[in-house]
Amino acid sequence: MGKWPTHVTIKEVGPRDGLQNEKTQIATEDKIAWINKLSKTGLTYIEITSFVHPKWIPQLSDALEVATRIERVPGVTYAALVPNQKGLEKALTAQVDEVAVFMSASETHNRKNINKSIEETFPVLEEVVRAAKQEGKTVRGYVSTVFGCPYEGSVSVEQVIRVSERLFDMGIDELSLGDTIGVATPKQVQELLEIVLKRFPKEKLAMHFHDTRGTALANILISLEMGITTFDSSLGGLGGCPYAPGASGNVATDDLVYMLHGMGIATGIDVQRLMEAALFIQEKIGRPLSSRYLQTIST
């Protein structure tokens, strides 16, 4: 049993990964108000939107307005997902702090998600990373379907390494490894990280778990033991992936904070303010969210 870290960084992806799959159209004003609430919780990183074509994700068609109208709090990094050069231009106009590029470890999911093969995706992302770096932005790379693909089933560790290496070669600052469809188990996470951590420094890695089958916190626990201290999560357990059938929400930020604080691991997050933000977005979505901690205070 490894020694637990004293501090963990939580990256809130709810406004982007959480909302992108919601059927209920959330008003721009409500998104802005929600992000403003999140900014006051002690979170140091919020992924606020995605500059993809509105046709693909209509929920985030107000990306520029959201990004320019939120109240920015010093010490909080405001990031956005960027698919290509056109998206980057908008993200730079919106003055986001960090640009996130994304691709899949599996060929079919990459084609469904990006409309390109993995090989065709590399030059597009390389251009985005280079241009973002020239503008002084930090860049995050997401790899989806690391632990399994809804179309191809299992994904080889070699394939994950190959894609990750190319992204690091482009100059990304951090890599987020995603269990897009929530199939991973702790043993699988341990086996993958044993190999990945021989190649890349743990300080540059984050884990992104979905709780589709209820294994997300267990997977985070094993990742903590392996030395990972950065995790993506979504308040209330919002979200999924529009291009991954059957994928339910991200691990819930509130459940994760409850577990970490109970273990004596600091996050810098104020639980009361976090729950105020959770209750706010739950009301706007108009249905109970899936996080266990939120359910205990909503009843």
Side-chain angles (χ1 to χ4, degrees):
M1 180 72 71
K3 189 170 170 288
W4 303 120
T6 55
H7 186 276
V8 156
T9 300
I10 292 180
K11 302 206 162 178
E12 175 60 50
V13 297
R16 193 277 304 175
D17 205 8
L19 291 184
Q20 73 177 12
N21 220 24
E22 280 300 320
K23 307 277 185 287
T24 314
Q25 193 68 31
I26 306 297
T28 302
E29 296 299 327
D30 291 337
K31 291 179 193 171
I32 293 165
W34 185 39
I35 294 165
N36 289 345
K37 284 178 185 297
L38 290 170
S39 292
K40 297 183 177 83
T41 60
L43 282 161
T44 54
Y45 187 104
I46 306 169
E47 194 172 73
I48 53 172
T49 193
S50 172
F51 288 96
V52 296
H53 196 288
K55 162 175 97 169
W56 300 115
I57 303 185
Q59 180 73 266
L60 303 180
S61 58
D62 54 5
L64 196 58
E65 192 180 349
V66 168
T68 47
R69 287 183 52 210
I70 55 169
E71 292 164 27
R72 304 213 181 178
V73 170
V76 179
T77 297
Y78 296 93
L81 209 62
V82 169
N84 49 32
Q85 202 59 30
K86 205 169 177 181
L88 178 66
E89 282 160 24
K90 287 181 182 163
L92 293 173
T93 303
Q95 295 188 311
V96 300
D97 302 314
E98 182 164 289
V99 166
V101 295
F102 58 98
M103 63 182 298
S104 306
S106 61
E107 193 65 51
T108 314
H109 187 266
N110 203 75
R111 283 183 186 276
K112 298 263 185 192
N113 201 10
I114 302 177
N115 228 3
K116 288 180 175 61
S117 70
I118 285 175
E119 277 307 318
E120 289 163 348
T121 305
F122 288 135
V124 176
L125 298 191
E126 201 158 358
E127 190 185 10
V128 171
V129 175
R130 186 166 56 239
K133 289 295 215 176
Q134 277 169 354
E135 294 294 326
K137 305 295 179 188
T138 53
V139 181
R140 177 174 227 234
Y142 278 107
V143 182
S144 306
T145 63
V146 166
F147 297 96
C149 169
Y151 308 102
E152 296 175 21
S154 61
V155 175
S156 74
V157 178
E158 292 72 33
Q159 186 58 11
V160 174
I161 295 283
R162 184 173 86 88
V163 169
S164 302
E165 252 171 6
R166 287 292 291 271
L167 286 168
F168 274 122
D169 287 347
M170 290 175 201
I172 64 165
D173 299 281
E174 181 178 72
L175 180 74
S176 174
L177 297 171
D179 181 18
T180 314
I181 52 171
V183 289
T185 59
K187 183 171 183 276
Q188 195 183 1
V189 173
Q190 184 176 21
E191 287 167 356
L192 177 100
L193 283 176
E194 274 170 358
I195 297 166
V196 168
L197 288 167
K198 287 191 176 93
R199 301 287 188 102
F200 314 114
K202 62 179 189 289
E203 296 76 25
K204 291 198 165 200
L205 295 175
M207 301 304 284
H208 182 110
F209 292 111
H210 284 241
D211 202 29
T212 317
R213 291 163 183 81
T215 55
L217 287 177
N219 291 334
I220 286 174
L221 207 53
I222 202 87
S223 305
L224 282 170
E225 281 186 28
M226 304 284 291
I228 304 292
T229 57
T230 302
F231 298 95
D232 303 347
S233 62
S234 174
L235 189 53
L238 263 177
C241 172
Y243 300 101
S248 63
N250 294 264
V251 66
T253 307
D254 38 317
D255 290 348
L256 177 55
V257 168
Y258 174 82
M259 181 179 86
L260 293 171
H261 288 187
M263 294 169 69
I265 300 170
T267 63
I269 292 169
D270 179 317
V271 175
Q272 195 174 341
R273 287 187 166 187
L274 189 70
M275 297 328 289
E276 283 166 18
L279 289 167
F280 175 85
I281 197 64
Q282 178 171 259
E283 188 200 335
K284 299 301 174 192
I285 281 174
R287 62 172 172 81
L289 297 184
S290 61
S291 76
R292 315 300 199 281
Y293 191 78
L294 183 55
Q295 287 167 19
T296 66
I297 67 161
S298 297
T299 47

